[in-house]
Amino acid sequence: MTLQAPRGRLVVWLTLLAGLVFQIMPLPALVEGWRPDWLLMVMIYWAMALPHRYNILTAWLLGVVLDVMLGATFGVRALAFSLVTYVVVLHFQRLRNFPMWQQALVITSLIVLYHLVVFWAEYVLQKVQFNVDVFWPALSSLFIWPWAFWLLRRLRRRYKVR
């Protein structure tokens, strides 16, 4: 085993930045409720691909940044991102070997978990009302995941990220 310097950190952080931009980018009201969780999907991909480099701490930092950018309750998304990333890092070897359709279903269930944790934390802190519309992003993420996975894997291989 050789000790090699990690490569491609800039590529990873640029993809995370792109996920953040897509997450906060204004959309028409008609499709706003269906916005996929771009940042979470990108974080899940990097946690699956390189769990020793991009894990719970990275997810927590991204969640804090997203909370600040959205003007939401501080730490709610950080908690949810960290929890989802913990599950991904814990089972990354299994997730990598799932067929794409099964992987998409697991990612969708993790995004549902994310939204449930965000709702629960906001309910405890602010007594918000439950709305079924919070699950539409998980459904749209189901269809986006194979394409996002393909694009991120292609970037990882092209720039030899490790």
Side-chain angles (χ1 to χ4, degrees):
M1 183 168 124
T2 61
L3 295 176
Q4 296 176 346
R7 293 184 50 165
R9 284 188 179 167
L10 182 62
V11 172
V12 173
W13 287 105
L14 286 176
T15 59
L16 290 168
L17 179 65
L20 180 65
V21 168
F22 285 147
Q23 191 71 39
I24 63 173
M25 179 176 59
L27 290 176
L30 183 63
V31 294
E32 177 68 34
W34 291 84
R35 176 194 309 265
D37 290 307
W38 293 105
L39 184 59
L40 184 57
M41 284 193 298
V42 173
M43 182 62 222
I44 288 171
Y45 174 80
W46 290 116
M48 275 180 16
L50 302 168
H52 57 287
R53 297 219 187 276
Y54 305 99
N55 46 36
I56 300 167
L57 178 61
T58 309
W60 184 82
L61 289 171
L62 290 171
V64 167
V65 168
L66 188 59
D67 279 336
V68 169
M69 298 290 281
L70 293 176
T73 306
F74 190 71
V76 169
R77 280 158 190 79
L79 170 68
F81 266 54
S82 299
L83 182 65
V84 168
T85 304
Y86 172 74
V87 173
V88 170
V89 168
L90 194 62
H91 300 290
F92 77 95
Q93 291 175 332
R94 277 190 205 144
L95 287 172
R96 282 183 184 175
N97 292 316
F98 283 167
M100 185 52 65
W101 67 270
Q102 195 173 9
Q103 200 177 78
L105 290 175
V106 171
I107 298 307
T108 301
S109 64
L110 289 172
I111 291 173
V112 167
L113 173 67
Y114 163 77
H115 285 286
L116 286 174
V117 170
V118 168
F119 165 73
W120 171 78
E122 288 182 351
Y123 177 79
V124 167
L125 296 172
Q126 300 176 356
K127 300 289 186 208
V128 297
Q129 294 294 319
F130 182 74
N131 190 355
V132 176
D133 295 344
V134 299
F135 296 122
W136 297 134
L139 187 60
S140 64
S141 297
L142 171 69
F143 298 108
I144 299 292
W145 173 254
W147 299 102
F149 181 86
W150 176 80
L151 177 66
L152 291 168
R153 176 182 259 184
R154 192 169 177 145
L155 285 171
R156 182 173 58 107
R157 288 181 175 170
R158 176 169 170 81
Y159 295 104
K160 298 177 177 69
V161 178
R162 56 180 167 195

